[in-house]
Amino acid sequence: RSSAASDVYKRQKAFNLIPGGVNSPVRAFKSVNREAPIFVKKGQGARIYDEDDNEYIDYICSWGPLILGHNHPKVIEEVKKIIENGSSYGLPTKYEVDLAELIVEIVPSIEKVRLTTSGTEATMSAVRLARAYTGRNKILKFEGCYHGHSDALLVKSGSGLLTDGYQDSNGITDGVLKDTLTLGFGDLEKVENLLRNEEVACVIVEPIPANMGLIETHKEFLQGLRRITEETKTVLIFDEVISGFRLALGGAQEFFGITPDLTTLGKIIGGGYPVGAFGGKREIMDLVAPVGRVYHAGTLSGNPIASKAGFATISYLKENPNIYKELAENTNYLVDNVEKLAEKYGVDVCVNS
Ligand code: PMP
């Protein structure tokens, strides 16, 4: 159903004022030939409603943060408690410390953590930290993994770049491109060869690749990465912006029982508000300013409202561990039925259960 409201938004306003009418490319659904974005008015639970009051079941869930759905009462209740106190102070608040404490308690590799405003910032800073810690320049990432949109990580990237048919962004200098090495996900032999022959600061990986369609992770690959990075004194970074607090409470590292040196987080830890984090071994994290000289800063880093919403979300997950079993059961139910329908209508689908 289309009506005056969405027409005004999509044609006269959004497209003229904002590139593609959206503030993040995947919202345009270009790769599935949607003519215009959906403009959301509100969300509740598993549903969203657009500007024309069309109702949708929301499988996007803000691309990850809303593991509890829209407007979960526990999250809203906590946010409401502080939202009238003020929004941001440029000074620390107890809410950041509460969130940090919970993250350190739950994520096996994290002894110290720094909050950021986005996942992009978290991965960008983790890479810089790894370079400073090792004194090496080159980094290794895997083709199709997406780690946000900082220059160094936008090489052979996944997510919107992949679905839109290109994997490298324009506007990145040759120098940066030269320092980002890439290999196919899962190719341990090549990783071993490379790390034994080149000085590499870090290997960054999505332990469950979530930005290039359905690729299975074999535990042996991650175990191999851990072994080789340890032997070559390369920093291993798990980008758990998506898998953190989702695959298991302690993320992929808890699920697979493999501990990286650094971990990046985002999405769920802000409960739907802007946030990110990088953390890991104390001796590495203590190189971050103001203790050390690896600069990371942010006007809204560790924003109190985001921290409170993240704390409420993670606390709820921690207090209701059954949620992960339910999530798996519901996903299997959905996948089974999608598979049945696909078979009935002769559509190819790829399933990993
Ligand atoms: N890492 C991964 C694995 C991601 O999926 C994303 C975003 N989808 C990012 C980093 C970047 O996070 P943000 O969009 O918050 O900058």
Side-chain angles (χ1 to χ4, degrees), residues 240-319:
E240 297 234 43
V241 166
I242 288 193
S243 56
F245 302 93
R246 175 167 300 277
L247 195 61
L249 187 65
Q253 52 197 272
E254 178 191 296
F255 185 83
F256 290 117
I258 299 167
T259 309
D261 302 302
L262 291 177
T263 298
T264 54
L265 298 167
K267 309 221 186 225
I268 288 177
I269 63 161
Y273 292 81
V275 89
F278 61 103
K281 287 190 176 147
R282 190 174 291 276
E283 77 166 5
I284 307 182
M285 290 306 291
D286 277 341
L287 296 182
V288 176
V291 186
R293 289 190 54 180
V294 178
Y295 207 69
H296 161 266
T299 304
L300 295 177
S301 275
N303 175 265
I305 295 160
S307 297
K308 187 86 167 158
F311 183 84
T313 303
I314 300 175
S315 304
Y316 187 88
L317 294 170
K318 187 181 149 192
E319 285 153 21

Side-chain angles (χ1 to χ4, degrees), residues 113-221:
V113 64
R114 167 60 67 82
L115 300 179
T116 67
T117 319
S118 70
T120 293
E121 235 188 286
T123 51
M124 177 183 79
S125 305
V127 165
R128 181 182 301 138
L129 183 55
R131 284 184 164 134
Y133 180 70
T134 56
R136 305 172 183 172
N137 288 335
K138 291 198 163 62
I139 65 166
L140 171 63
K141 77 175 281 289
F142 296 98
E143 287 165 24
C145 282
Y146 179 70
H147 304 291
H149 61 93
S150 68
D151 283 4
L153 294 168
L154 271 184
V155 183
K156 299 250 173 80
S157 197
S159 188
L161 292 97
L162 188 61
T163 46
D164 284 350
Y166 55 100
Q167 283 192 271
D168 303 310
S169 170
N170 287 346
I172 296 173
T173 63
D174 291 344
V176 169
L177 292 177
K178 182 176 74 51
D179 283 334
T180 301
L181 311 172
T182 58
L183 287 174
F185 186 88
D187 198 337
L188 204 54
E189 218 179 293
K190 287 208 176 125
V191 174
E192 178 130 34
N193 250 331
L194 195 146
L195 293 192
R196 297 213 184 277
N197 290 302
E198 295 229 32
E199 295 262 286
V200 175
C202 66
V203 176
I204 184 165
V205 64
E206 281 180 80
I208 295 279
N211 286 290
M212 54 164 149
L214 196 58
I215 304 282
E216 200 176 347
T217 298
H218 296 283
K219 187 176 174 182
E220 299 73 50
F221 176 58

Side-chain angles (χ1 to χ4, degrees), residues 9 15 25 38 52 63 66 69 72 74 78 80 82 90 143 177 203 206 251 274 280 287 290 294 307 309 322 329 350:
Y9 272 109
F15 282 166
I38 293 166
D52 304 318
W63 304 99
L66 301 179
H72 191 277
K74 283 280 174 226
E78 291 300 310
K80 275 186 180 159
I82 65 160
E143 287 165 24
L177 292 177
V203 176
E206 281 180 80
L287 296 182
V294 178
S307 297
N322 249 348
E329 282 166 6
C350 186

Side-chain angles (χ1 to χ4, degrees), residues 326-347:
E326 278 170 41
L327 201 57
E329 282 166 6
N330 289 343
T331 308
N332 284 338
Y333 174 78
L334 178 70
V335 168
D336 286 350
N337 282 290
V338 167
E339 208 178 6
K340 277 186 201 141
L341 284 172
E343 207 178 305
K344 184 170 166 194
Y345 292 104
V347 177

Side-chain angles (χ1 to χ4, degrees), residues 40 42-48 58 61-62 66 68-73 76:
V40 179
K42 61 177 184 182
Q44 189 57 49
R47 292 174 192 265
I48 50 170
D58 183 15
C61 295
S62 186
L66 301 179
L68 303 179
H70 295 273
N71 280 336
H72 191 277
I76 298 303

